[in-house]
Amino acid sequence: MCGIVGYIGDKSASSVLMEGLAKLEYRGYDSAGIALLESGKIEVERSVGKLINLREKLSDKKYSANVGIGHTRWATHGKPSFDNAHPHSSEGLTIVHNGIIENYIELKTMLKEKGFTFVSETDTEVVAHLIKSNFDGDLKSAVQKTVQHVIGSYGLAVLSEANPNEIIIARKDSPLVIGIGEGEMFAASDIPAVLSHTRKFIFMEDGDITVLRKDGYTITGIDGQPVDREVKLIDWNPVMAEKAGYSHFMQKEIYEQPRAIIDTIRGRYSLEDSRVNFADFEKIQSVVKDFSRVVIVACGTSWHAGLIAKFYIEKFAKIPVEVDIASEFRYRNLVIDEKTLFVAITQSGETADTLSALRIAKEHGAKVISVCNVVGSSISRESDSVIYTHAGPEIGVASTKAFTTQVISLFLFAIYLGQERGTMSSDEAGRYLGEVLKLPEVIEKVLEQDDNILKLAKQFKDASDFLYLGRNVNYPIALEGALKLKEISYIHAEGYPAGEMKHGPIALIDKDLPIFILCPKSSVYEKVASNVEEAKTRDGIIIAVVTEGDEGLKGICDHIIEIPDIIEELSVFPTVVVTQIFSYHVAHLLGLDVDQPRNLAKSVTVE
Ligand code: F6R
């Protein structure tokens, strides 16, 4: 997820772009850059790190351009560096891009054969050269030809010296809006970027290509045919706009999950041959059959993702998996060797305990894979291979979309291991991949239940304790649900395997204790249903999360939340989203700082 801004009008383009980028910094902050059309020539200014660095660089420059494009980056291809920062240029034109180009390797090879040279590791530079190679004086048709050959997602803005009176923008699976001013036009990946200049917006749709001129715009489809898009008047205040109308970043990130999952799986599977592929897996690929054991290490929410991955990997790849908390792993007498595959899970890639655990595993000769959301982070740099989760930056301290994208990455990874090791057939892999594709819609349906979950939050916000129970893959979700509630609402909550309740926690149950029971259709449904009975007999207040159409628990439970039907392995997605929404509402209703809960930090770089 990156931020894009474009401007054409009479104002100082560099000021409009820098102001816009500041509003988009939440979308990415590992580097930033702008390109200006200055007296007919493109001038590019870029810098690594936060926007402040670019601002300082520009402070002693006097640009008078009235046309330009800008970008703030969240790396997906190529580490955060000067060379990888946008805009990316090809003689006489320059572009900024948000998204992922899946066929960039194939396109790069073709362009190299045509004589283009590359200075960055990005997929975006490929698009810049491709536009150039299609350019015959008409920039819009060059962009149109280019996007017809691109597979993947893009929000694009293109500037060319040969066409100084226009900016071309294009969109597929990556947000892009047009801002309409008086004698000026704007482009942005999100409304807040230009809301101080206009309230009139068009939300571009997939396949739209727009020519922005000072005095107007023209939108066509990918086939060149004109299309009509409605102009909308936006009446958000600036704070609402930054969060895209949501009250908090956490809420926004919960709602981003269907899209984030699509970004995570993009380009990593093929339904034609039912295979999973990861880029940058050379070091693992050659030894994948040799591992006798997988050791997963992580902290907090990422550790919960690891607990779920154990089910996936043991089932699909038939390798024993241990899951450890990084701070515990470090101080044991470890039995690890070169036959161990070590998997570090971390959204930030900077967690001190996980990093130390990884170093110890390497010292013992293990091969190391990390599942990480931050390209170029310490853990990703020190790993043999990385599976990037492509969730985009997560601003809310409580992890939501970072977690679900970890889990889906690990699900694909387990299929990969199963196929490489010959323990999973193509048919089976194809069936599971088909189920994965249902997830965005399944999560959307859970999000539609927000109001029902809010009602429950209102009813239970003053409870002093909660119990969360689940079994099998939903046991880690019980832990995660309890952690989410604790960290943002400060209400005491415990997560337990439902079958373990009778060995102790059952003593806590009385008429005042709300118990979240995760009981979707599964191989352990009957077992969990008996646990519900046990809890109800002790007068506990049961809130059950069940598969839609399940009548079995309706008479027993106090409250039912229905989730769509999905295979057991993937039921963790709808169940966790229910618990995220519940925790979010409870904390919000209690008037707490949802995005920055007390005593917590987004990246824990101390032991
Ligand atoms: C909870 C949460 C934390 C992190 C933990 C590990 O919502 O976000 O529990 O999961 O601090 O962080 P990473 O994944 O960055 O290693």
Side-chain angles (χ1 to χ4, degrees):
M1 194 156 96
C2 306
I4 291 178
V5 196
Y7 177 71
I8 182 159
D10 292 325
K11 293 180 181 145
S12 152
S14 64
S15 308
V16 175
L17 297 178
M18 289 304 286
E19 185 196 327
L21 291 179
K23 295 280 187 325
L24 294 181
E25 216 178 358
Y26 73 89
R27 296 180 66 88
Y29 37 76
D30 61 46
S31 57
I34 59 171
L36 302 167
L37 211 47
E38 187 73 14
S39 312
K41 286 270 154 234
I42 290 175
E43 296 284 343
V44 174
E45 297 283 0
R46 301 181 292 172
S47 98
V48 179
K50 293 209 162 195
L51 198 60
I52 182 99
N53 300 343
L54 182 62
R55 196 178 294 286
E56 275 166 16
K57 199 167 176 185
L58 291 172
S59 61
D60 56 353
K61 309 236 165 123
K62 297 252 172 302
Y63 287 119
S64 59
N66 308 118
V67 185
I69 55 178
H71 189 264
T72 176
R73 181 170 186 247
W74 180 260
T76 56
H77 290 75
K79 60 188 175 300
S81 69
F82 180 80
D83 283 339
N84 290 335
H86 297 217
H88 289 286
S89 305
S90 189
E91 203 205 322
L93 65 83
T94 192
I95 74 167
V96 292
H97 164 225
N98 172 25
I100 297 170
I101 307 300
E102 289 171 31
N103 58 337
Y104 83 103
I105 294 178
E106 180 190 321
L107 294 172
K108 195 168 183 172
T109 311
M110 183 269 284
L111 288 161
K112 276 184 175 168
E113 279 163 12
K114 285 191 172 181
F116 286 96
T117 50
F118 288 80
V119 291
S120 79
E121 301 158 303
T122 63
D123 49 346
T124 303
E125 195 183 3
V126 170
V127 181
H129 288 322
L130 197 55
I131 296 173
K132 179 73 196 174
S133 82
N134 287 324
F135 185 67
D136 59 5
D138 180 349
L139 187 60
K140 194 233 141 191
S141 80
V143 173
Q144 190 182 326
K145 279 184 205 147
T146 299
V147 294
Q148 286 167 352
H149 289 98
V150 158
I151 301 173
S153 60
Y154 51 80
L156 281 178
V158 188
L159 198 61
S160 146
E161 290 174 359
N163 302 62
N165 299 321
E166 58 192 40
I167 297 173
I168 311 294
I169 58 177
R171 165 200 160 129
K172 181 170 171 273
D173 291 335
S174 211
L176 207 50
V177 296
I178 302 167
I180 305 169
E182 295 292 327
E184 57 184 0
M185 295 293 296
F186 306 84
S189 42
D190 207 352
I191 286 170
V194 294
L195 194 63
S196 58
H197 299 281
T198 180
R199 302 246 148 199
K200 278 188 191 161
F201 287 91
I202 292 173
F203 293 82
M204 283 176 67
E205 293 187 16
D206 282 348
D208 287 359
I209 303 172
T210 305
V211 182
L212 295 178
R213 297 174 307 275
K214 216 175 117 171
D215 58 357
Y217 62 90
T218 320
I219 312 178
T220 55
I222 207 159
D223 54 2
Q225 293 304 310
V227 287
D228 225 12
R229 299 279 175 240
E230 193 189 341
V231 177
K232 295 212 164 115
L233 216 55
I234 299 294
D235 57 1
W236 296 343
N237 65 38
V239 177
M240 278 165 79
E242 203 186 2
K243 293 170 185 144
Y246 293 101
S247 305
H248 298 90
F249 281 111
M250 181 184 176
Q251 190 186 31
K252 176 170 176 280
E253 285 154 7
I254 290 173
Y255 273 75
E256 277 171 359
Q257 290 177 109
R259 160 70 38 212
I261 284 174
I262 293 172
D263 286 342
T264 307
I265 63 176
R266 188 188 299 289
R268 289 176 162 163
Y269 67 92
S270 150
L271 289 182
E272 271 148 42
D273 58 1
S274 301
R275 287 204 81 80
V276 169
N277 291 301
F278 292 102
D280 167 43
F281 251 45
E282 298 81 30
K283 287 190 191 158
I284 299 297
Q285 188 97 26
S286 55
V287 288
V288 83
K289 291 198 177 73
D290 304 338
F291 298 123
S292 58
R293 194 158 71 106
V294 176
V295 172
I296 300 179
V297 169
C299 302
T301 287
S302 297
W303 176 64
H304 299 153
L307 292 175
I308 299 169
K310 176 181 167 74
F311 287 92
Y312 296 161
I313 297 173
E314 290 185 345
K315 178 160 188 176
F316 299 165
K318 316 271 185 271
I319 320 175
V321 180
E322 273 171 58
V323 189
D324 221 329
I325 291 175
S327 53
E328 290 296 313
F329 176 87
R330 295 173 65 172
Y331 298 107
R332 280 214 315 274
N333 293 318
L334 296 165
V335 187
I336 286 191
D337 55 23
E338 58 288 347
K339 286 193 168 295
T340 306
L341 173 64
F342 180 93
V343 181
I345 308 174
T346 167
Q347 59 81 22
S348 64
E350 301 296 344
T351 302
D353 286 317
T354 311
L355 180 58
S356 300
L358 176 152
R359 288 179 178 155
I360 297 167
K362 278 179 99 171
E363 279 163 23
H364 283 72
K367 276 270 180 287
V368 172
I369 286 190
S370 56
V371 177
C372 185
N373 196 33
V374 183
V375 177
S377 56
S378 306
I379 289 177
S380 66
R381 284 199 311 271
E382 295 195 26
S383 303
D384 292 307
S385 293
V386 188
I387 301 174
Y388 287 114
T389 46
H390 297 323
E394 195 177 60
I395 310 288
V397 163
S399 210
T400 52
K401 64 174 180 171
F403 172 75
T404 41
T405 53
Q406 285 170 345
V407 177
I408 200 62
S409 301
L410 289 157
F411 187 78
L412 292 188
F413 181 56
I415 294 179
Y416 164 84
L417 287 178
Q419 290 199 306
E420 292 296 320
R421 293 171 66 92
T423 51
M424 189 180 222
S425 70
S426 274
D427 279 358
E428 214 181 340
R431 270 200 309 280
Y432 278 114
L433 289 172
E435 294 292 320
V436 168
L437 298 184
K438 294 180 186 165
L439 275 180
E441 202 187 326
V442 164
I443 298 177
E444 291 288 359
K445 290 213 170 116
V446 178
L447 297 173
E448 284 165 17
Q449 302 226 41
D450 197 308
D451 282 348
N452 289 340
I453 302 172
L454 172 62
K455 278 187 205 140
L456 285 179
K458 284 184 179 156
Q459 193 169 341
F460 292 106
K461 69 179 185 357
D462 297 317
S464 55
D465 303 275
F466 266 86
L467 198 56
Y468 283 72
L469 301 175
R471 269 181 116 130
N472 215 309
V473 279
N474 275 296
Y475 154 52
I477 300 301
L479 296 178
E480 174 60 11
L483 175 65
K484 213 87 313 174
L485 188 69
K486 278 187 269 218
E487 65 181 334
I488 59 171
S489 73
Y490 319 144
I491 296 174
H492 169 243
E494 300 246 16
Y496 257 93
E500 184 68 7
M501 184 177 70
K502 56 190 169 298
H503 298 287
I506 200 163
L508 292 170
I509 300 178
D510 64 14
K511 65 174 185 20
D512 296 321
L513 184 74
I515 308 169
F516 245 98
I517 301 198
L518 309 171
C519 190
K521 187 189 83 187
S522 74
S523 57
V524 289
Y525 174 84
E526 270 78 25
K527 305 276 171 208
V528 185
S530 339
N531 300 136
V532 171
E533 302 269 6
E534 286 159 15
K536 198 59 218 163
T537 316
R538 272 94 191 161
D539 292 334
I541 308 164
I542 312 288
I543 306 165
V545 182
V546 303
T547 305
E548 60 196 357
D550 175 0
E551 297 296 319
L553 289 174
K554 280 203 175 141
I556 314 165
C557 300
D558 300 272
H559 304 276
I560 294 269
I561 303 168
E562 289 191 330
I563 55 169
D565 193 5
I566 183 103
I567 55 165
E568 180 173 6
E569 290 82 355
L570 299 178
S571 65
V572 294
F573 290 87
T575 56
V576 81
V577 175
V578 170
T579 66
Q580 292 168 349
I581 298 173
F582 180 76
S583 305
Y584 166 75
H585 283 311
V586 170
H588 188 25
L589 290 165
L590 292 173
L592 298 168
D593 187 344
V594 174
D595 284 333
Q596 290 181 321
R598 70 184 180 203
N599 308 338
L600 290 171
K602 190 70 191 156
S603 173
V604 186
T605 51
V606 292
E607 186 177 343

